[in-house]
Each structure stands twice: as structure tokens, then as C-alpha cells.
Amino acid sequence: MSRTESFDREQLLACGHGEMFGPGNAQLPVPNMLMMDRMTHISDGGGPYGKGEIIAELDITPDLWFFGCHFPGDPVMPGCLGLDAFWQIVGFYLAWIGNPGHGRALGVGEVKFSGQVLPNAKKVTYKVGMKRVISRKLVLGIADGTMDVDGREIYTAKDLRVGLFTSTEGF
């Protein structure tokens, strides 16, 4: 089966509105919480562990919502938004390979920040390598990710965990 291997903003927004994977299945957030403008590459092979890789990008402009409130006079993208982008990407991947359910972040093993995203930056690039994918009654993805700003790596995350759940009651 041939699957789309890249997605533009309109397609990601359609996913956010539940139009990509069908009712009851994974959705991306919509703006302002959608943390990518495009997914330039997604595959179910390759990456550092041979189990799939995803590359996505976010265009940075000084008028992005978070710069106005985090922090006045010292604007910087919150680190938690980069972390959320990783979880968004892993959840999308699990649905893209055909798993049902709503995505939920389940944790991360380790996160390191070694830089920042300022309003004068141009582009953030997320690179996610799937380490383990369970597609049974339990649907779980475990991945590592890096985040670059204008070609410089500034975040690393290990053991990002996302699950897909057909029911989130009692979660």
C-alpha cells in the first residue's frame, strides 16, 4: 500500500479537524497548538533504529502567539512546546501506519535543552526516530527526537512515549 510521505499545512489542519484518519482516531491539534507547518518526510523504515522516521518543520515569525506572553521584553519559545511537537509527531505516525484511537502523550525519559528559539529565527526542524512500535490491543510508540533551529540542534528528547486509545474514559 502506498502512503503519503509528506504533508503540507492544509493536510495537517485537515488531520486536526478529524478528516484524515476518520472519526474516533488520532487528530493533531489545531492552531495555536499545532506545532508544525509541514511534515517533509515520514516513513515506516529508516531512521536511527530502522523503525521509522519523521521530519517536520515550523516556520518562525516574530508574531507567533507565544512570543507575546513568554516573556514580555524577553521573548522565547517555551521548551514545552517543542516537547509537545515531538508527541504530536509520534501520535501522527502511529495513526499514519494504520492504528486506531485517540493519541495521548504518556511521557518522556530525558529532555535536554541547549539553546532557544527567538523571534529572529527562521525555521525549527523536528527529527523523530521511532525506537519501538507496538500495534496490538496496546498501541504505543517510543521514539527519540532532536529539534534544530536554523540548522543548530537545541533540544534532544529520549524515549518519547505516545499511546493511541480507542476509549479515553477514565484516563
Side-chain angles (χ1 to χ4, degrees), residues 3-5 7 12 15 20-21 26-28 36 39 41-47 49-56 85-101 103 128-135 139-143 160 162-164:
R3 289 188 287 240
T4 302
E5 295 181 357
F7 296 89
L12 297 176
C15 179
M20 185 171 289
F21 301 119
Q27 294 174 246
L28 286 168
M36 65 195 96
M39 198 170 286
H41 175 74
I42 183 169
S43 70
D44 59 4
Y49 306 102
K51 298 185 180 195
E53 66 181 343
I54 309 96
I55 301 171
F86 289 140
W87 285 321
Q88 291 174 24
I89 291 165
V90 174
F92 183 93
Y93 177 86
L94 292 172
W96 178 80
I97 61 171
N99 290 296
V128 174
M130 300 304 299
K131 290 173 82 170
R132 184 160 185 214
V133 178
I134 300 169
S135 296
V139 177
L140 176 69
I142 303 172
L160 296 149
V162 175
L164 295 186

Side-chain angles (χ1 to χ4, degrees), residues 88-144:
Q88 291 174 24
I89 291 165
V90 174
F92 183 93
Y93 177 86
L94 292 172
W96 178 80
I97 61 171
N99 290 296
H102 297 283
R104 295 295 185 267
L106 298 176
V108 61
E110 178 181 289
V111 179
K112 291 185 181 177
F113 301 112
S114 58
Q116 58 187 345
V117 180
L118 301 174
N120 63 346
K122 300 298 178 210
K123 183 173 64 175
V124 163
T125 303
Y126 309 101
K127 299 173 188 167
V128 174
M130 300 304 299
K131 290 173 82 170
R132 184 160 185 214
V133 178
I134 300 169
S135 296
R136 295 189 291 267
K137 184 176 180 182
L138 168 70
V139 177
L140 176 69
I142 303 172
D144 289 348

Side-chain angles (χ1 to χ4, degrees), residues 148-170:
D148 299 355
V149 62
D150 297 334
R152 183 176 149 247
E153 185 179 291
I154 62 164
Y155 296 5
T156 60
K158 294 182 188 240
D159 297 325
L160 296 149
R161 296 180 187 279
V162 175
L164 295 186
F165 300 88
T166 54
S167 173
T168 57
E169 284 207 24

